[in-house]
Amino acid sequence: MSGALIAYRWELRKLASQKRTYIGLGAAAALPVVFVTVMALQKGGPYDAPLGHNLRRTGLSLALVVLTFVSRFGAQLAAALVAGDIVASEHAGKTLKMILTRSLRRGQILAGKTLASFTYVVATIFVLGVAGLVAGSIAWGFNPLINLSSVRLSAIRTLLLSAAALGLFSLPLIAVAAFAILLSTLTRNSAGSIVGTLVYALGQEAVAGLVHQSWAKHYLLSDQFDGWHGVFMSPVNWTLIVRAIWVSSIFASVPLVLAYVIFKRGAVADA
């Protein structure tokens, strides 16, 4: 485990030195601000979005409404840009052999890269949430919110539930990052891994549109981005929440196991 933590620290330092890291975080922070600005320039709004009826009434709804829009493409792109490059970059830079000479096993190296990718995903969603809270509160105040069951929630309770919702939203996004890590390990090509991950994510959306059985859609990864809705229902819809957790876990675990097998066997060139 100590070896994995060492690799994790290395990877965090690498991410901190890359421009794309800050581009993703900056975009996450800018989205709520852009959203508020657009709302200020027009009278209408996406009131039909989940919790959208709270817009212009409380700033606590802003980040949650933005989640609905980024769940279809933007969030997946941010995850793919980092996770799709995190192994392939070692091949492109021919640096894996040097890393392997530092008394770290392949499994520890991949574990460090995986943890760093997941940390970036969570950080991106956290930044979006904080930016939404600040921008929304400045624009519309720190006021109570009406949830999806038309129940009034205090501002403090809404804030706590929002943190849980952001955490739930991160789970399917982590699963997307896991698939990007698999492609990065398998193809050893950053561009191919990033594009492949986006095709994978959009493909899930397409399948959801083609499947006529509503129950089947609930077990696609794309559907789990809406799992946080269960937090803002009265009573709490644990079916949505638990399903988002276990389905996302499966979609994350399978690619990671495959990536580990490939990486362990040395399919990624050492030099």
Side-chain angles (χ1 to χ4, degrees), residues 26-261:
L31 279 174
V33 178
V34 172
F35 199 96
V36 167
T37 303
V38 172
M39 290 283 290
L41 297 175
Q42 64 181 23
K43 294 182 178 180
Y47 299 125
D48 57 339
L51 299 179
H53 55 282
N54 290 280
L55 293 174
R56 292 196 172 94
R57 297 177 181 176
T58 174
L60 292 173
S61 64
L62 177 59
L64 301 170
V65 172
V66 171
L67 286 184
T68 299
F69 295 94
V70 301
S71 66
R72 300 298 175 244
F73 182 75
Q76 292 90 327
L77 176 60
L81 283 173
V82 170
D85 178 69
I86 202 155
V87 177
S89 62
E90 303 292 357
H91 174 74
K94 300 187 182 301
T95 55
L96 183 59
K97 184 176 181 179
M98 179 181 66
I99 295 176
L100 288 170
T101 62
R102 296 179 177 178
S103 302
L104 291 181
R105 297 189 297 272
R106 285 179 174 270
Q108 293 172 331
I109 294 172
L110 185 62
K113 290 179 177 296
T114 299
L115 289 173
S117 298
F118 292 174
T119 299
Y120 178 78
V121 167
V122 173
T124 301
I125 299 303
F126 174 78
V127 168
L128 186 150
V130 172
L133 174 64
V134 174
S137 296
I138 292 173
W140 304 315
F142 189 77
N143 304 315
L145 176 141
I146 306 300
N147 73 3
L148 297 174
S149 301
S150 300
V151 174
R152 180 185 173 91
L153 305 177
S154 69
I156 296 300
R157 184 181 179 188
T158 299
L159 186 61
L160 295 175
L161 292 178
S162 296
L166 291 172
L168 278 171
F169 185 88
S170 298
L171 295 181
L173 197 56
I174 283 175
V176 171
F179 185 81
I181 291 171
L182 169 60
L183 289 186
S184 186
T185 305
L186 180 64
T187 67
R188 299 174 292 175
N189 182 282
S190 296
S193 301
I194 294 168
V195 172
T197 300
L198 294 179
V199 171
Y200 169 75
L202 293 175
Q204 295 246 355
E205 294 284 349
V207 171
L210 295 174
V211 173
H212 298 294
Q213 299 295 327
S214 59
W215 65 267
K217 299 178 183 179
H218 296 324
Y219 300 99
L220 292 172
L221 182 60
S222 57
D223 197 70
Q224 311 319 310
F225 284 103
D226 296 333
W228 66 267
H229 295 174
V231 174
F232 284 95
M233 294 179 181
S234 297
V236 172
N237 190 327
W238 288 105
T239 298
L240 288 179
I241 295 171
V242 173
R243 184 168 62 214
I245 293 172
W246 72 261
V247 172
S248 298
S249 297
I250 291 175
F251 273 95
S253 299
V254 173
L256 288 179
V257 169
L258 293 175
Y260 174 80
V261 171

